[in-house]
Amino acid sequence: MTLRHLRIFFAVCEEHSMTKAAARLYLAQPSVSLAIREMEEHYGVKLFDRVSRRLDLTEAGKQCYAYTTHILTLVDEMEQGIRRFDSHRLHIGCSLTIGTCLLPAIVSQFKEQHPQTEISAQIENSERILSMVSDNALDFALVEAIPNDPQLRKEQFLTDTLIPVCAPFHPLSREANVTAEQFASFPVIMREKGSGTRELFDSVMLMHNLVVNPLWVSTNTQAILSAVSAGIGVSVLPRLLAEDAIAKGEIVEISTRDLSFSRAFYLVYHKNRYLSSTAEAFLSLCRNACTVALCAQN
């Protein structure tokens, strides 16, 4: 027995007529008659007494009507409840850079438009976040690493630049056109493997035939900034994360000749993941160039 049978049976009970029930459901009258006959054959009972042109429920029909009413009420409540849940909850994953520099501003703007939406965020390195998207544990993610999993779809939504930095009193702060070899000759402080920043740094250095083993490795960008400002070593950091410290004079950007670090930020989601209307609205906000520019300035 299907929900279609039950909805037809319910309409016939309410209208006391197959013709009126058919009109109410926008069905042909023979389709309604067939559904009622199939139900009676399935249960082996008569559901209606056919008196004149009016259909009245038998005792078995009354019991079936009570069950049907209960079932359809639960189904309708489920439909409404799931739709409300779908519209008011998002679980987002972010890399540390995006989670620090962009996500708060994007979420703030989104909440102005969708105040009832509950947004939870998982902020980890890109490798960990992409793994969670692959496991279908997140609605979608914003990362700077390119996903290799063929099950994941990606969309570029912003370009980012990384810059070499050092302390204001570091020898490289007074040099112009620093080469990759010069940069690598000093102790390097970097993010951990698995982060988008580290992945880009390693690939650019390999283009210069250099393999750099960092002196310090940290998952915390603030710890890296503090170590660089103390003169412990040099680093490469996202401009978005470093610009405040540069403005305060805590670190300086190194003038380089042949070191260029640029990358894209990506929206990533599982190709089999259902994206709710709320998720689509959030992704549209991320794709909006004006919104991204506003976020980058905040």
Side-chain angles (χ1 to χ4, degrees):
M1 206 48 46
T2 66
L3 281 176
R4 179 176 180 276
H5 284 89
L6 297 182
R7 293 198 183 279
I8 290 173
F9 171 73
F10 182 81
V12 174
C13 293
E14 294 288 300
E15 300 293 341
H16 299 282
S17 164
M18 293 192 187
T19 301
K20 291 180 180 179
R24 172 172 162 175
L25 298 173
Y26 301 100
L27 295 173
Q29 195 272 337
S31 297
V32 173
S33 299
L34 176 61
I36 298 301
R37 185 165 65 250
E38 287 175 341
M39 285 186 68
E40 290 181 328
E41 291 174 355
H42 178 77
Y43 292 113
V45 296
K46 284 185 61 178
L47 297 173
F48 295 97
D49 284 325
R50 293 156 175 83
V51 179
S52 185
R53 294 184 178 181
R54 178 184 172 88
L55 295 179
D56 292 319
L57 288 167
T58 63
E59 289 303 313
K62 291 176 182 178
Q63 186 174 10
C64 185
Y65 176 70
Y67 281 124
T68 297
T69 301
H70 183 62
I71 291 169
L72 293 181
T73 298
L74 287 176
V75 169
D76 290 340
E77 287 179 357
M78 181 183 73
E79 289 282 326
Q80 295 173 12
I82 295 300
R83 289 183 188 279
R84 284 196 298 269
F85 180 85
D86 173 72
S87 299
H88 295 157
R89 184 177 180 85
L90 288 177
H91 192 189
I92 303 170
C94 274
S95 62
L96 293 175
T97 300
I98 296 174
T100 302
C101 297
L102 297 180
L103 186 65
I106 295 174
V107 169
S108 178
Q109 184 170 347
F110 186 80
K111 291 285 283 184
E112 289 180 4
Q113 302 170 9
H114 304 269
Q116 301 303 316
T117 301
E118 177 186 337
I119 299 177
S120 60
Q122 187 83 21
I123 301 176
E124 304 269 0
N125 70 40
S126 294
E127 184 177 61
R128 171 63 179 151
I129 290 298
L130 290 174
S131 175
M132 293 179 71
V133 178
S134 294
D135 292 339
N136 211 18
L138 298 169
D139 289 314
F140 54 86
L142 288 71
V143 296
E144 59 263 23
I146 301 175
N148 296 317
D149 188 339
Q151 297 297 308
L152 301 184
R153 291 180 177 170
K154 69 178 187 298
E155 299 178 32
Q156 181 177 336
F157 75 98
L158 183 64
T159 299
D160 181 37
T161 302
L162 278 69
I163 55 174
V165 294
C166 65
F169 51 84
H170 192 280
L172 291 183
S173 68
R174 300 182 294 274
E175 294 288 334
N177 299 318
V178 172
T179 66
E181 288 80 4
Q182 285 178 287
F183 180 86
S185 68
F186 289 90
V188 174
I189 305 168
M190 280 302 300
R191 285 284 307 279
E192 79 287 2
K193 284 188 175 295
S195 73
T197 298
R198 179 64 179 276
E199 182 179 284
L200 177 59
F201 173 76
D202 286 345
S203 64
V204 170
M205 299 311 286
L206 280 174
M207 290 172 60
H208 293 277
N209 297 314
L210 295 170
V211 176
V212 177
N213 295 311
L215 175 69
W216 282 21
V217 174
S218 176
T219 60
N220 188 302
T221 303
Q222 189 55 52
I224 294 175
L225 284 169
S226 296
V228 171
S229 66
I232 294 172
V234 297
S235 186
V236 172
L237 292 171
R239 182 178 294 278
L240 287 172
L241 284 172
E243 57 188 3
D244 281 349
I246 291 174
K248 293 175 182 176
E250 297 170 352
I251 61 174
V252 296
E253 180 177 355
I254 299 171
S255 171
T256 61
R257 180 199 306 172
D258 54 1
L259 279 178
S260 177
F261 302 90
S262 62
R263 62 183 177 184
F265 287 159
Y266 295 96
L267 306 171
V268 180
Y269 50 92
H270 198 287
K271 71 176 186 178
N272 296 325
R273 178 82 177 189
Y274 166 72
L275 293 177
S276 67
S277 58
T278 305
E280 290 285 8
F282 193 97
L283 292 175
S284 294
L285 191 61
C286 293
R287 296 181 187 111
N288 186 295
C290 295
T291 297
V292 170
L294 174 64
C295 294
Q297 292 169 4
N298 290 340

